[in-house]
Amino acid sequence: MSVVDHNAIELPRISEAEVGDYIALLKPRVMSLVVFTALVGLMIAPVHVHPVLAFTSILCIAVGAGASGALNMAYEADVDALMTRTANRPIPRGRITPAEAYAFGLTLAFFSVMTLGILVNWVAGALLAFTIFFYAVIYTMLLKRWTAQNIVIGGAAGALPPVVAWAAATGSLSVEPILLFLIIFFWTPPHFWALALFRSDDYARAGIPMLPVVAGPDATRLQILLYTIVLVAVALAPWPLGYFDAIYGVTSLVLGAGMLWLAIEVYRRREGVAANRATRRLFAFSILYLFALFAVLLAEVVVRAILPVIIG
């Protein structure tokens, strides 16, 4: 009669993950910005979109963004465990394995792309697939750990949702979604480099070559100022070019002045509490800046839609 060594038997792992852990994999804060900018891209399109198709488009873009977040966390589990800002994510805490996160992300990516392509159109589906690939592979796997320009190039992924949404509405591309893309693209470096300035110890500990770690804080401050100047100009340009209305133009001018002033403060204040406060203020204001710009565009669409009803 043989004796079984029960200590040699590897029992299957029982997952400790809860629904909240899988929601965390989706990066809900990033997803909320993706959904909002995509909604604006959909709403400003010069066509009528059936509400069901509009909802389907936004849902697929949101799920696609969540898939990108899950794949990003699966690949970066090792560095997330080293950073204070990310150490409490589900994978570093041991609640979800990288393999489970990969499976979750790939499943969401497949169904979001296929649903958008089949139910809406394949131009939008292809753009969504490219967005997920760009964020998960080009940015996360190829750029983030190898170049200080990771945020600059990788920012293209975060700038694509309004383009995807426009394509979902029209089946094509145009100048307007490209303008929205450029605004988000040039907004990304000053936004994330401001964060990187007061989180530089985290990135250095994790071995991620963010600009403050590689080039130093002073060079980063200069880059923030230069990119902010370009951002303000790019965000204002659609008004004189005739693509967006005067309300947007005035809002862009006022917000741009605030963004530029805070970037100058970051450039000027380089030491101590004042420097830390300046970078945190720029980071916080940059979120308000982008939200307000896109909110004005959305408000203009709503006003144009209800004004004839009110007057009539």
Side-chain angles (χ1 to χ4, degrees), residues 20-21 24-25 73 77 79-96 202:
D21 295 313
L25 283 182
M73 286 195 194
V79 297
D80 280 351
L82 301 174
M83 298 174 63
T84 304
R85 185 172 63 90
T86 56
N88 285 325
R89 285 176 172 175
I91 301 177
R93 290 174 61 199
R95 301 184 65 82
I96 295 176
D202 252 4

Side-chain angles (χ1 to χ4, degrees), residues 98-290:
E100 290 168 338
Y102 275 124
F104 183 57
L106 289 171
T107 301
L108 293 181
F110 176 80
F111 281 104
S112 62
V113 169
M114 294 302 294
T115 301
L116 188 62
I118 293 171
L119 297 185
V120 184
N121 66 69
W122 282 108
V123 175
L127 281 171
L128 180 59
F130 176 75
T131 302
I132 297 170
F133 174 80
F134 198 96
Y135 186 82
V137 178
I138 303 298
Y139 169 65
T140 301
M141 298 182 182
L142 301 181
L143 293 175
K144 190 168 183 179
R145 303 193 193 197
W146 303 108
T147 172
Q149 296 301 307
N150 46 24
I151 286 299
V152 178
I153 305 169
L160 279 170
V163 181
V164 179
W166 177 285
T170 65
S172 63
L173 296 179
S174 186
V175 174
E176 291 90 333
I178 301 302
L179 291 171
L180 298 184
F181 170 89
L182 291 174
I183 291 170
I184 302 173
F185 181 79
F186 285 107
W187 167 87
T188 302
H191 170 71
F192 276 100
W193 282 336
L195 172 67
L197 274 173
F198 61 84
R199 293 286 190 180
S200 58
D201 290 345
D202 252 4
Y203 289 112
R205 185 165 52 251
I208 297 177
M210 295 296 285
L211 193 61
V213 177
V214 174
D218 289 348
T220 304
R221 289 184 171 91
L222 176 60
Q223 290 296 312
I224 286 174
L225 179 57
L226 294 176
Y227 269 94
T228 300
I229 292 171
V230 175
L231 167 65
V232 171
V234 168
L236 185 61
W239 177 29
L241 291 176
Y243 289 103
F244 301 151
D245 294 339
I247 296 176
Y248 168 85
V250 173
T251 303
S252 177
L253 194 61
V254 173
L255 291 171
M259 188 83 178
L260 186 57
W261 179 76
L262 290 173
I264 292 172
E265 286 290 286
V266 168
Y267 181 75
R268 289 177 58 239
R269 303 184 184 278
R270 304 189 175 196
E271 295 182 1
V273 176
N276 189 55
R277 184 185 300 116
T279 55
R280 289 179 181 272
R281 288 174 66 187
L282 176 62
F283 176 75
F285 184 82
S286 65
I287 299 172
L288 172 64
Y289 173 87
L290 190 68

